[in-house]
Amino acid sequence: MDLFLIAARAVHFAATISLAGVFVFECFIAAPVSARAGDRNAVPARLGRHLVRLAVISLALLLVSGAAWLLAIASNMSGQPLAAALLDGAWLIVLTQTRFGEAWLVRVGFAAAIAICVVIGRRRGWAVTARWAALLFALPLLAGIAWAGHGAATPGAAGDLHLAGDILHLLGAGGWLGTLLPFTLLLIEARRDGDAPSLASAGRAARRFSVLAFVSVALLLFGGFVNTWFLAGTVPALIGTGYGRLLLAKITLFLATLVIAAVNLLRLSPRVAAAGRGAGARVLVWMRRNALAEAALGLAVLAIVAALGTLPPGLHAEPGWPFPYRVEFAGLSLAVKVAFALSLAAGGAAAVATVALAAAGRYRTMAACIATGIVAAGVLWLLLRPALEPAYPTSFYAPAEPYSAPSIIAGAAVYTANCALCHGASGKGDGPAAAGLPVHPANLTEAHLLAHTPGDLFWWVGNGKGNGAMPGFAATLTPADRWDVINFVRARAAAVLSHDIDATLSGRAVAQVPDFAFEEGGTQHTLNGLLRNGPVLLILTDEAPPGGRLTALAAVGHTLTEADLTIVALETASAVDEASRPNLTAPLFATAASAIAPILASFRSPGDGGETELLLDRGGFVRARWTAVNGNLPDAARLADFAKTLARLPVAAPSHPGHSE
Amino acid sequence: MVAVMRETILAASAAVLMASASIEPAQAHAFLDHASPAVGSAVPTAPATVAIWYTQDLEPAFSSLTVTNQAGQRVDLGNAQIAPAQPNELQVGLKPLPPGTYTVTWHVVSVDTHPTQGTFTFTVGGG
């Protein structure tokens, strides 16, 4: 069934691109070139008949494959087999009640309008009007495919930009891939006559085609760049998932197509007009073969695109990392990062220039570019060597359990039962069995713990570490258990490390407070829900009712609200009588649920006195910390200042929410 | 001169392509973004509705949401719907819930045609 969907999509994309390409070619290449050639040349008339035939075939394929696509989508959405989706009328629901159906109907309307234009265009005197009208309908017909895509489904501004990127990408495909066949037809007809006016026309067409191809490829690249940028994937996802590898295959094919295009543009196109009669005809044959090869590669690209869009969620899974090392960019200094970016750009530019110069036949300059590329690659290697870290197949797994209270509470129990014997109840590597071990167990409360990816920890918990010094628990702990214990260990390390954060705003996001839920005045809140509105000042206190600090903050509540700062005060020592709660409006005051209270309380340190204040950025990371004891509690103006700075910071790589699949 | 410009343009576009090669288009399906009550949470008082926010906009005709108790009986009001002004939010009303653990089962189709499904639990009272 998926094969049916992929085939329908591939044919539909190819037919739509081909149809749009015919009219782009007629309006911007065939018509201007014919106008120059006048009546002495028979090429335009024959070409015109070919193009009408190509348009009719494309239109027919487009409608048939469009119907097949609709049926396949109806089957997919309703979860029924194809035949049932047809007979039960699921296709009718898709057509009338979904965004896909809406876009489909509008696009069929455009196709019908194009059919009318083709018929009218055969009447004397109507050709020009019909041609431009058909182009006017063909472009939205092509761009409309984007409404069946991811961009149209993503909410907000990011979705709009993605949609715009998709549209530019599609129009670029129509302008380049779609005009390859018409261009080939023109070359065939010019070669058939082979006389001077035909060759001159072909030369002019080739030059115009070059410009068109450049504009189109630029649109294609820009659109592709924009829509991938806003989806912010990662290198591991590209190499490690089926989806990413298919995308790499698509980009490789596209690059191969670009190389062929470069040969046509830089080497063959200038020779058409310059060469004599016989030589010119031979050049046309070469250009034709190249254009057909480009079109064939283009079809392969479309087949991959058709498959990419149908990949089931299973392939949206965790990226397996195939290499024993990864690059840890966080540890590199700014100067090294800049040098890295520069040498990467230099190496890339050298590679591209090498291909372009080879295509143009300028081999000496090409050699210089190759040398530059080798130097850049050497510099890259030298820069990256110190940043290489050991990596494991699971290094880039996102935690399957969210970094939140339920997982951490479950993880604490897993830790006590399996880990405390060696690593100790406190996690400092001082468990009862530690002294007798040849390799001392790791201290799990030091900065190195958070420097490893959660995926690294997942590998060690499952498979062991240090040649058997630590056993693997894959046989005894389920993956969910392992993620729970990792969340617990990370939360504890974050708590310990947060003790060193001071009252000035830290530039680094290290210690992340886990998500937890609490109830205040009958309303349920979660920390992450509050962080969506802006930074949070988390006040951990063992005083009940809370002291003068909360009353003081409540008095200047509106200043802090204007800065989008939410204040949450949590009592972590004992239960608080609801009735004795002071009447505070700005800060949320609640008692932490008994299960998560010990974790939150560990963010306090023994010398803190009655309360500890943690300023959290929008990712939940502690960016500043102060207590009443050290006497530098910030006033409202300073707090608002901090909050405004934090609101501008990008959210540091959040741990991915677990997919509830 | 034109040749040099063409090469420059070609070089620049390919550089952009290489940069874009390092980024993967993903998120092709609607995933649960957050929920109320939160996934796996324990809430002291019974909520009147369950609402789930997704990463993508949903198709009302093919999206459903049910809530069951530990005995497997439906405790939702059967009125699951997309929130009026929020096409990525699915919500359903609840009968008055006694303390206990409840399972939310959802099955949605995003407007880019992809179906996804999932379950999660939340606990009311004491738990």
Side-chain angles (χ1 to χ4, degrees), chain B residues 44-102:
Chain B
T45 50
T49 56
V50 168
I52 306 180
W53 287 261
Y54 292 89
T55 53
Q56 294 195 327
D57 295 347
L58 306 176
E59 287 294 358
F62 294 99
S63 299
S64 66
L65 167 57
T66 59
V67 185
T68 51
N69 63 15
Q70 274 161 309
Q73 293 156 332
R74 288 276 293 270
V75 295
D76 61 87
L77 299 176
N79 59 353
Q81 56 163 0
I82 309 285
Q86 189 90 15
N88 64 335
E89 182 195 341
L90 188 59
Q91 56 187 28
V92 71
L94 297 174
K95 298 172 183 168
L97 300 185
T101 299
Y102 296 90

Side-chain angles (χ1 to χ4, degrees), chain A residues 539-573:
Chain A
I539 303 179
L540 301 172
T541 167
D542 53 16
E543 286 176 24
R549 172 68 170 164
L550 283 194
T551 320
L553 286 173
V556 292
H558 67 277
T559 314
L560 302 176
T561 313
E562 269 169 27
D564 289 329
L565 181 75
T566 312
I567 299 178
V568 180
L570 273 185
E571 201 277 306
T572 57

